[in-house]
Amino acid sequence: MRRHAGLAGDAQKAEPKGEFVKIRRRDLERLTTEVMQLRDFLPKIINGDILGTFQKLDAVESNMEKKEEEIEQLKMDCEHFRARLETAQADCMKEKKEKLDLRQQLNEAKQQLLQQAEYCTEMGAAVCTLLWGVSSNEEAVKTILGGTKAVKFFTITAQTMESFVKSLSEDMKQQDLDSDENQFVLALAGIVTNVAALACGREFLVSSSRELLDTMMHLLGDMKPGLCTKFKVLMLMSLYNVSINLKGLKYISESPGFIPLLWWLLNDPDTEVCLHVLRLLQSVILEPEVLAKSASEMRDTLPFQRIIALSKSRNADLQALAKELLEDLKILEYEA
């Protein structure tokens, strides 16, 4: 018995470690049959779909890799553009600061220029007012005209007058008589009037300062009735004084638009303006050589009714001159 027990122990030690399951032969055969069937049919069923799926999967993975590369590139581009944006913003802030500095400098320059302009206008008004008074002296006028700056002075006078009229606002009803600008141009016009009151002055203006005469006639046509009447009167007095010189009268009367200008000025509500317009018109009528060239135009466009109305004015000087002119105008009937 001991030997038998010992043998049994040895047999157990010789057994393999794997486990075995008992099944029926019939079940084993059926399982084997099913496995064989699966081996035959499974590749036919799933091979095409799996292959297509794997191909699609490969394409998707490839596309994802490309997208990841694109995303990486976009990130790099984004960083690059962000850096450029920060640089541009810094430059923009720098430019804004520079512009603010320049604007401040410009404002300061404008302020300085305005102060200089005001000073020049103030000085010009003071000097020309003094010169206006001095120009009533014949010897003083001769000294002025004999200087090397006389032509330049009258050229600047024309430019200053023109600039002044352009600066007038359209709805301006009356000019501030006390302003430096107004006093400046009035003094200039007064100087021209006094210079033209002398024979040497008239000759100088006709020979060397025709630009001034043209400018005054142009400005008289630009200003509306009732505006800057004192300035108008001084310019009309200057033109009348020049008209005493035959050469001056011919130049003025032959200027384009001269006769229509007179009719335009006769509509001014200011009696002084109308008075000096009639005096200038009388100069033309009383000079046969000049009248011969203007008679036809005057006869066709002469505003008789306005002159008749002026002959009934309450202003004695204007009334007398208008009546006298109506008599003088009768010569146009003979000229016809």
Side-chain angles (χ1 to χ4, degrees), residues 150-202:
V151 174
K152 184 67 174 177
F153 172 78
F154 289 112
T155 299
I156 294 174
T157 296
Q159 294 170 352
T160 305
M161 288 179 172
E162 187 172 18
S163 177
F164 171 76
V165 172
K166 285 181 179 178
S167 70
L168 298 176
S169 59
E170 298 231 349
D171 58 348
M172 195 172 201
K173 298 301 180 185
Q174 59 182 10
Q175 186 68 13
D176 180 8
L177 298 178
D178 295 326
S179 70
D180 290 326
E181 293 85 355
N182 188 76
Q183 188 58 39
F184 193 2
V185 293
L186 287 180
L188 289 172
I191 293 167
V192 176
T193 302
N194 286 348
V195 169
L198 300 174
C200 61
R202 291 190 285 272

Side-chain angles (χ1 to χ4, degrees), residues 135 137-138 140-146 150 154 191-210 212-213 238 241-245 247-248:
S135 64
N137 181 280
E138 183 175 354
V141 172
K142 289 180 179 179
T143 301
I144 293 171
L145 299 180
F154 289 112
I191 293 167
V192 176
T193 302
N194 286 348
V195 169
L198 300 174
C200 61
R202 291 190 285 272
E203 184 63 31
F204 181 89
L205 293 174
V206 175
S207 303
S208 304
S209 297
R210 291 187 174 186
L212 175 59
L213 302 179
S238 297
N241 287 344
V242 171
S243 74
I244 297 173
N245 179 296
K247 187 165 60 173

Side-chain angles (χ1 to χ4, degrees), residues 1-14:
M1 291 298 290
R2 288 178 183 176
R3 183 183 296 274
H4 179 76
L7 291 173
D10 293 340
Q12 286 178 351
K13 288 179 182 180

